[in-house]
Amino acid sequence: MKIGVDTFIWTEVFTDKDIWIIKKAEELGFQAIDFAIAHPETFPTEKVIKELQETSLEAVTSTTLNAENSLISPDKTIRENGIQSLKQLIDINKAIGSNILGGVNYAGWGCLTGKPRTEEEWNNSVNAMREAAEYAVKVHPALKICVEPVNRFETHFINTAADGVKYCKAVGTKNMAVHLDCFHMIREETSYTEAVKTCGKEYLGYVHVCENNRGIPGTGLVPFKEFFIALKGIGYSGPCVIESFDPGFEELNGQCAIWRKFADTGEELAIKGLANLRKIAIEAGA
């Protein structure tokens, strides 16, 4: 099992000043790094490429859309903004050698309507995503666009593994997959094993290993041993990445409702989580 770490452990928006994080992640024992890219227009692609070349880390990315580029918007201009953002992200992934683009890449994160998703929203998102996915097939055929089901307080659009698979099938391109996150799963799924099986090897493209309270993985309620056994059962071979956030962040903490610390630093959380997950993975035979 390849365990990775998200750049959110250290920084809210990855810029030039954060390049040091790449080597730090490898020094701490991680094998993959997830660049959280909500603002592709400011991402320091060339510097990241250079730094990654001096490590053996697997690079992956994740993103969140917003009210100005949501694919479910009734406003065509806003949907087109979203398509262009995804195309920028696809280009970045190709440049840095990443074969995974995960996250809330199908709707505006936190943009709730107070109602269940509509057929119009579904069609808007599916059609817009298909354009981005077809672009990826042409310019970066190794890339998987992985849609992350998140909890009901962060989106009304895709909450479960079953929703994610349905969405991937609706888009219809072979480069669509599901991004499972243990934090969201504990709120929306009835079984970790069944959620993994629902995706299966064909549709499970990416995994975040987060605790139920976003604290140190292995110290809470998430049944990681069961989860790892299920991942092994379907032959999942992608990275399992630790994601959490510092209470000092601004935009993220308002969205994620993080009001207290779970470790003295994000780095401490990641280090302890890595040790816990490695132990659990060995116990699970994963």
Side-chain angles (χ1 to χ4, degrees):
M1 177 172 290
K2 184 178 291 187
I3 300 177
V5 66
D6 197 293
T7 56
F8 277 147
I9 288 289
W10 292 278
T11 185
E12 185 167 11
V13 179
F14 193 95
T15 62
D16 288 2
K17 67 178 175 54
D18 303 308
I19 293 296
W20 63 272
I21 289 171
I22 298 171
K23 286 182 180 175
K24 171 59 72 172
E26 185 171 61
E27 288 171 8
L28 294 177
F30 291 100
Q31 297 167 289
I33 184 167
D34 183 336
F35 294 96
I37 311 174
H39 305 285
E41 66 280 2
T42 63
F43 187 72
T45 303
E46 295 304 319
K47 291 184 179 180
V48 168
I49 293 170
K50 183 177 179 181
E51 199 74 0
L52 281 172
Q53 288 171 345
E54 298 182 19
T55 76
S56 59
L57 291 170
E58 177 180 349
V60 301
T61 72
S62 57
T63 193
T64 53
L65 301 183
N66 55 55
E68 302 304 316
N69 61 4
S70 175
L71 300 189
I72 71 173
S73 174
D75 187 324
K76 184 179 179 181
T77 299
I78 290 176
R79 297 198 303 274
E80 288 175 349
N81 290 343
I83 293 168
Q84 291 308 309
S85 291
L86 290 177
K87 287 181 177 180
Q88 278 186 281
L89 287 160
I90 290 162
D91 291 340
I92 289 171
N93 275 264
K94 180 180 180 180
I96 68 174
S98 162
N99 293 331
I100 293 172
L101 168 56
V104 186
N105 47 35
Y106 48 81
W109 181 43
C111 298
L112 302 172
T113 63
K115 300 176 182 179
R117 69 172 182 243
T118 66
E119 184 177 356
E120 180 185 9
E121 289 173 332
W122 181 264
N123 292 335
N124 284 345
S125 183
V126 165
N127 291 334
M129 180 62 79
R130 187 179 296 122
E131 182 175 338
E134 289 174 348
Y135 174 79
V137 169
K138 294 176 183 177
V139 304
H140 189 13
L143 181 70
K144 286 286 187 182
I145 301 175
C146 303
V147 296
E148 182 181 13
V150 298
N151 71 77
R152 66 194 68 187
F153 306 109
E154 295 179 31
T155 189
H156 63 290
F157 195 75
I158 297 179
N159 301 125
T160 65
D163 277 342
V165 171
K166 179 181 177 182
Y167 183 88
C168 291
K169 289 180 177 179
V171 174
T173 55
K174 296 298 183 181
N175 56 352
M176 295 298 300
V178 176
H179 168 184
L180 290 181
D181 183 315
C182 296
F183 169 79
H184 300 291
M185 292 171 73
I186 207 162
R187 284 150 186 80
E188 301 298 339
E189 305 289 352
T190 56
S191 164
Y192 277 74
T193 298
E194 290 306 311
V196 171
K197 288 181 177 179
T198 294
C199 296
K201 188 175 180 64
E202 181 178 4
Y203 284 106
L204 184 55
Y206 187 37
V207 168
H208 273 176
V209 281
C210 307
E211 196 47 87
N212 68 288
N213 60 354
R214 291 200 184 275
I216 299 168
T219 63
L221 301 177
V222 173
F224 281 112
K225 185 174 181 179
E226 173 195 339
F227 186 56
F228 290 164
I229 290 172
L231 293 178
K232 181 182 178 183
I234 67 161
Y236 175 75
S237 58
C240 294
V241 169
I242 296 173
E243 177 195 53
S244 193
F245 317 103
D246 188 286
F249 292 169
E250 296 179 4
E251 179 183 355
L252 279 170
N253 290 339
Q255 293 278 42
C256 296
I258 295 181
W259 317 122
R260 64 188 190 278
K261 287 191 173 185
F262 297 102
D264 287 340
T265 64
E267 189 170 303
E268 180 190 2
L269 183 151
I271 292 169
K272 290 183 176 179
L274 174 61
N276 290 342
L277 293 177
R278 279 177 169 167
K279 181 180 178 181
I280 296 168
I282 291 169
E283 292 172 354

